[in-house]
Amino acid sequence: MTIVKNHSAAEDVMQDTFVRLYGAAGRFRAGGMGKAWIMRIARNLALNAVTRGDYPSEEPTAERASNDSTEDSAISSVMLERAMQKLGDEERQIVTLHALSGMKLHEIAAALELPLGTVKWKHSRALSVLRKELEGEA
């Protein structure tokens, strides 16, 4: 959702990614970086959806966060989502891929086709921005 900024679009991109993976599985090189390959497909599909303008952007809402089991986690989720909006698109992608997908920085660099040093710098900068934003709201 970090690229398309719309929950429905993110679900559609995820489904399209699975369809593409199924169709292209025979072309995957053994010994290649599987996660990077999958992330590149998903990223390209998401960028295509944004370019076409298929979906309007969604603003972070307390409604979406209210699905969490406790009020505290809902508040934390909204605060984190607002803090993430302060990041640039690449920084948001890097943090999301690292924190939620568990990808290593070198895998992210390959998936986003960026130098490893750039990914490390953007990751560090993004964490600094998030830390400042979240401490400011505490």
Side-chain angles (χ1 to χ4, degrees):
M1 194 163 124
T2 60
I3 295 175
V4 292
K5 296 181 178 81
N6 181 299
H7 189 72
S8 297
E11 289 176 346
D12 289 348
V13 167
M14 181 177 60
Q15 184 173 354
D16 290 346
T17 300
F18 287 129
V19 170
R20 288 274 175 97
L21 288 171
Y22 183 78
R27 293 189 300 266
F28 179 70
R29 294 180 319 221
M33 294 176 56
K35 281 185 185 178
W37 181 63
I38 293 168
M39 295 309 296
R40 185 173 297 129
I41 291 171
R43 179 176 181 259
N44 289 341
L45 289 171
L47 291 172
N48 289 343
V50 169
T51 302
R52 286 190 313 264
D54 292 345
Y55 301 91
S57 292
E58 292 177 345
E59 291 297 319
T61 62
E63 253 177 47
R64 214 173 333 138
S66 68
N67 292 335
D68 291 346
S69 60
T70 65
E71 187 175 322
D72 288 341
S73 63
I75 291 169
S76 296
S77 178
V78 170
M79 287 174 53
L80 180 60
E81 198 166 340
R82 285 184 184 152
M84 290 288 281
Q85 294 301 318
K86 301 288 183 180
L87 302 176
D89 287 339
E90 277 187 346
E91 292 170 335
R92 195 170 29 256
Q93 289 174 359
I94 291 167
V95 168
T96 302
L97 291 172
H98 186 67
L100 300 180
S101 300
M103 290 179 72
K104 296 182 180 356
L105 294 179
H106 71 275
E107 294 172 326
I108 295 169
L112 299 180
E113 298 176 346
L114 293 170
L116 178 58
T118 301
V119 170
K120 286 181 178 181
W121 177 79
K122 287 184 180 230
H123 181 258
S124 176
R125 183 187 174 289
L127 292 180
S128 176
V129 168
L130 290 174
R131 191 175 301 113
K132 287 177 186 172
E133 284 296 317
L134 293 173
E135 287 173 356
E137 293 197 27

